[in-house]
């Protein structure tokens, strides 16, 4: 299996066909190292604002518990919501011709990025260690059949190298085509470099193994595209309830040890 392409400015028939057949596709070098660095710096600044209580409570993530320090205090958040409101680089990418081509080529003309909603553009961090709030993710599909946001797909820009040694994304190719049937776990490990983009279908069965080392950290910037819900921007509360109901199970290293 390949599924790796260099983005040419549009989604070619071969790339679209691979996504339809397998439920994911990889675009290498979608953004350059300078953009990766700027997004990372914006995330660090956002974390400082959160620690200082300068972000309204309604904008703070509720899906994943934050990582804690030795005293039990929140050291950093694993998810930074409304990220385009805090990062000019992320906002530019969201509105760029390249992301527009991904939106329409992978999804369709009816798809849109939920920029102004809680779970629309999200910076997300996996980290190792027992105090992490997000070290691995159990096997799941993002949304159930008939979900209000469907049809949908996720475009994730990786800000660090991701591989088997630090718990990269694993998918079951083709599982999106039989979301209510039995799935054989024969995972494909999606190993990528910083700057690569991975699109995956809302129904593909996927997960991520635990990070083995205390100092492991890996960030991804997710752009959630959907063609459901006729209103332009669903309310934060309603969207959060729908996403929570989808059954995504985020698991910390500490929780997993006790399970």
């Amino acid at each position: 299996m390949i599924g790796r392409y260099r983005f040419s400015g549009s989604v070619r028939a071969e790339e679209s066909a691979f996504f339809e057949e397998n439920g994911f596709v990889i675009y290498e070098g979608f953004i350059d190292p300078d953009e990766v660095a700027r997004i990372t710096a914006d995330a660090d600044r956002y974390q400082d604002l959160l620690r200082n209580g300068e972000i309204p409570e309604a904008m703070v993530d509720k899906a994943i518990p934050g990582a804690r320090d030795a005293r039990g205090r929140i050291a950093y958040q694993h998810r930074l919501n409304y990220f385009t409101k805090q990062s000019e680089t992320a906002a530019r990418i969201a509105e760029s011709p390249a992301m527009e081509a991904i939106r329409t080529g992978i999804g369709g003309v009816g798809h849109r990025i939920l920029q102004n909603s809680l779970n629309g553009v999200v910076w997300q961090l996996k980290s190792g260690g027992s105090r992490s709030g997000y070290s691995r993710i159990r096997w799941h599909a993002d949304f159930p059949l008939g979900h209000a946001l469907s049809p949908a797909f996720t475009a994730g820009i990786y800000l660090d190298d991701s591989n088997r040694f630090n718990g990269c994304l694993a998918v079951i190719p083709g599982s999106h085509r039989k979301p209510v049937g039995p799935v054989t776990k024969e995972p494909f490990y999606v190993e990528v470099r910083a700057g690569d983009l991975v699109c995956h279908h809302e129904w593909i069965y996927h997960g991520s193994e635990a990070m083995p080392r205390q100092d492991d950290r890996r960030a991804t910037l997710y752009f959630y595209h959907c063609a459901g819900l006729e209103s332009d921007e669903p309310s934060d509360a309603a969207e959060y309830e729908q996403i929570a109901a989808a059954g995504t199970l985020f698991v910390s290293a500490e929780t997993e040890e006790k399970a």
Side-chain angles (χ1 to χ4, degrees), residues 85-116:
K85 297 182 184 297
Q86 298 292 335
S87 170
E88 291 184 3
T89 301
R92 182 181 55 75
I93 292 171
E95 301 293 340
S96 68
M99 189 59 73
E100 175 78 359
I102 294 293
R103 178 183 68 82
T104 57
I106 298 296
V109 293
H111 281 68
R112 65 194 183 283
I113 299 176
L114 299 176
Q115 273 201 77
N116 298 318

Side-chain angles (χ1 to χ4, degrees), residues 59-181:
M59 295 178 63
V60 180
D61 181 71
K62 303 173 182 65
I64 305 178
R68 296 185 177 275
D69 61 19
R71 297 183 179 181
R73 300 172 300 189
I74 297 294
Y76 53 85
Q77 295 289 342
H78 286 284
R79 279 169 58 94
L80 303 179
N81 306 97
Y82 295 106
F83 197 77
T84 53
K85 297 182 184 297
Q86 298 292 335
S87 170
E88 291 184 3
T89 301
R92 182 181 55 75
I93 292 171
E95 301 293 340
S96 68
M99 189 59 73
E100 175 78 359
I102 294 293
R103 178 183 68 82
T104 57
I106 298 296
V109 293
H111 281 68
R112 65 194 183 283
I113 299 176
L114 299 176
Q115 273 201 77
N116 298 318
S117 55
L118 183 67
N119 294 287
V121 181
V122 179
W123 177 95
Q124 187 163 295
L125 178 74
K126 278 188 66 177
S127 62
S130 61
R131 297 190 182 94
S132 170
Y134 178 39
S135 176
R136 68 172 291 244
I137 184 169
R138 289 176 178 167
W139 286 97
H140 70 287
D142 286 339
F143 299 134
L145 292 174
H147 193 274
L149 292 176
S150 297
F153 75 95
T154 301
I157 297 177
Y158 283 73
L159 305 171
D160 301 283
D161 295 350
S162 182
N163 51 56
R164 289 289 303 275
F165 298 103
N166 64 3
C168 68
L169 173 69
V171 301
I172 307 297
S175 56
H176 65 298
R177 293 185 281 107
K178 44 186 177 182
V180 296

Side-chain angles (χ1 to χ4, degrees), residues 15 42 71-72 110 119 181 200 204 209 216 228-229:
E15 299 157 6
D42 289 340
R71 297 183 179 181
N119 294 287
H200 73 261
I204 194 170
E209 296 172 355
D216 279 340
L229 285 180

